[in-house]
Amino acid sequence: MAPIIQLSELTKRYGEVVGIQDLTLDVQQGEVFGLLGPNGAGKTTTIRILLDFIRPTSGSATVFGLDPRTDGVAVRRRIGYLPGDFITYNYMTGAEVAQYFTHLRGLPPAKMEQLCERFNLDPSRKIKDLSKGNRQKVGLVQAFMNDPDLIILDEPTSGLDPLLQHEFQELVHEEKKHGKTIFLSSHVMTEVESTCDRVCIIRDGRLVTLESVSELTDLHISMVKIEFERPLDRDIFSDIEGVSVSEATDTAFAMTVSANAMDAVIKTAGKYTVKKFESGNATLEDVFLEFYSDH
């Protein structure tokens, strides 16, 4: 089956500034795909190219096998989209905003009432009278309400309280079960870890890694804690590439250890009497920070 989204050596430059550089990836039908990176890494640039809000400098992007530059209307009709800075008409009510987007897409709002109830949103209130969290709910409702084949979400839970963040995650799992494809950009690592099948980490517009969440957390780094019988030099692990010590006392060390550095850590620790050794899988946030550390 052809990918729902396919990028090949996609590049976008803003004069001398690089938005994204030679980005190549694909997103399969029914997949929840996470795009990770700090502000300025190129996440929003990528999304805007997919929607034909901006044009690439070079390379190609297809959605549903179509080129957004020549088939933009056909592509966007099948997409639900929530931008990272959702702004809409202040004088409209939530219901009027939903009706407006329904007319644009030419599709019935099959899930509108259900979503409003689910997110505890009163659609009769005007946008200007809503808090940031409630405006975000309006954005989520309009993104999902027309039962789109592809949902593109840029920081979808910004402003939502923890209970509604959890409700959003449940919604994503349900949409996935119905065969929907979700392309998600988020800074909330626990959200990405609990919803996404694969993640792409980008840095300075370039792809750093593209793997499943389980592969990233299981294979790349581990969280290690070692307690020794007697005091030692706190720099004993500092020369091992792939090791980052987060806490150190005279007798105990807590560190992140990359897969290829574990043997060196164990051999170094084995030179002394070890009272306690703990090792566990890293979280996605640990992995993300490791990829963005200076080394």
Side-chain angles (χ1 to χ4, degrees), residues 77-79 101-110 145-148:
R77 183 171 285 125
R78 299 173 62 185
I79 293 176
F101 282 108
T102 292
H103 287 317
L104 284 179
R105 293 194 180 105
L107 297 169
M145 68 182 183
N146 298 111
D147 202 25

Side-chain angles (χ1 to χ4, degrees), residues 156-157 165 168-169 184 186 188-196:
T157 57
Q165 289 179 18
F168 165 78
Q169 292 171 25
L184 169 68
S186 176
V188 184
M189 295 297 137
T190 53
E191 177 177 280
V192 174
E193 191 166 8
S194 66
T195 57
C196 292

Side-chain angles (χ1 to χ4, degrees), residues 68 70-78:
T70 56
D71 299 293
V73 173
V75 167
R76 290 190 293 272
R77 183 171 285 125
R78 299 173 62 185

Side-chain angles (χ1 to χ4, degrees), residues 10-289:
L10 195 65
T11 297
K12 175 62 179 178
R13 293 181 177 273
Y14 303 95
E16 297 299 318
V17 178
V18 176
I20 53 175
Q21 181 74 41
D22 297 327
L23 187 59
T24 297
L25 60 85
D26 61 78
V27 180
Q28 301 299 319
Q29 181 175 350
E31 182 175 29
V32 182
F33 188 94
L35 187 63
L36 303 183
N39 292 333
K43 304 186 301 298
T44 299
T45 292
T46 303
I47 288 173
R48 287 174 176 170
I49 290 174
L50 292 175
L51 295 166
D52 195 36
F53 294 164
I54 58 175
R55 297 285 174 90
T57 304
S58 62
S60 65
T62 62
V63 184
F64 307 118
L66 302 173
D67 186 339
R69 294 173 293 185
T70 56
D71 299 293
V73 173
V75 167
R76 290 190 293 272
R77 183 171 285 125
R78 299 173 62 185
I79 293 176
Y81 171 53
L82 174 63
D85 52 349
F86 179 68
I87 299 172
T88 189
Y89 303 102
N90 283 331
Y91 59 86
M92 284 186 174
T93 65
E96 289 169 339
V97 169
Q99 185 179 34
Y100 173 73
F101 282 108
T102 292
H103 287 317
L104 284 179
R105 293 194 180 105
L107 297 169
K111 301 180 180 180
M112 178 185 164
E113 291 185 8
Q114 171 196 350
L115 289 166
C116 287
E117 183 176 350
R118 185 166 191 166
F119 288 109
N120 193 26
L121 174 67
D122 180 0
S124 66
R125 296 183 62 190
K126 289 189 176 181
I127 301 300
K128 68 182 179 67
D129 297 326
L130 298 179
S131 65
K132 174 177 172 55
N134 280 315
R135 290 196 298 272
Q136 191 72 2
K137 294 177 191 178
V138 174
L140 283 169
V141 168
Q142 65 81 28
F144 283 89
M145 68 182 183
N146 298 111
D147 202 25
D149 297 316
L150 170 64
I151 303 122
I152 297 178
L153 306 168
D154 195 354
E155 303 297 336
T157 57
S158 175
L160 298 185
D161 63 48
L163 287 175
L164 289 175
Q165 289 179 18
H166 176 73
E167 194 63 43
F168 165 78
Q169 292 171 25
E170 290 296 313
L171 176 61
V172 169
H173 288 303
E174 291 168 16
E175 294 295 305
K176 173 181 167 61
K177 288 180 182 178
H178 291 125
K180 306 299 182 180
T181 305
I182 298 175
F183 190 80
L184 169 68
S185 167
S186 176
H187 283 108
V188 184
M189 295 297 137
T190 53
E191 177 177 280
V192 174
E193 191 166 8
S194 66
T195 57
C196 292
D197 301 301
R198 290 190 299 153
V199 295
C200 167
I201 297 178
I202 56 177
R203 178 173 182 168
D204 299 327
R206 294 179 179 272
L207 188 149
V208 176
T209 189
L210 172 56
E211 297 185 60
S212 70
V213 171
S214 60
E215 286 174 332
L216 278 175
T217 55
D218 290 347
L219 300 180
H220 276 278
I221 61 173
S222 299
M223 306 302 295
V224 175
K225 294 182 179 180
I226 308 174
E227 184 178 349
F228 296 95
E229 188 175 70
R230 64 180 179 84
L232 299 174
D233 187 335
R234 296 191 184 189
D235 294 329
I236 61 170
F237 298 105
S238 61
D239 292 334
I240 303 176
E241 186 176 354
V243 173
S244 178
V245 177
S246 55
E247 295 180 32
T249 66
D250 288 342
T251 58
F253 298 80
M255 64 194 86
T256 58
V257 182
S258 64
N260 58 5
M262 184 63 79
D263 181 63
V265 167
I266 292 173
K267 286 178 178 177
T268 299
K271 297 175 183 177
Y272 311 95
T273 302
V274 176
K275 289 179 61 178
K276 190 175 183 181
F277 185 98
E278 296 179 6
S279 177
N281 291 339
T283 65
L284 185 59
E285 184 171 4
D286 295 323
V287 176
F288 179 81
L289 293 174

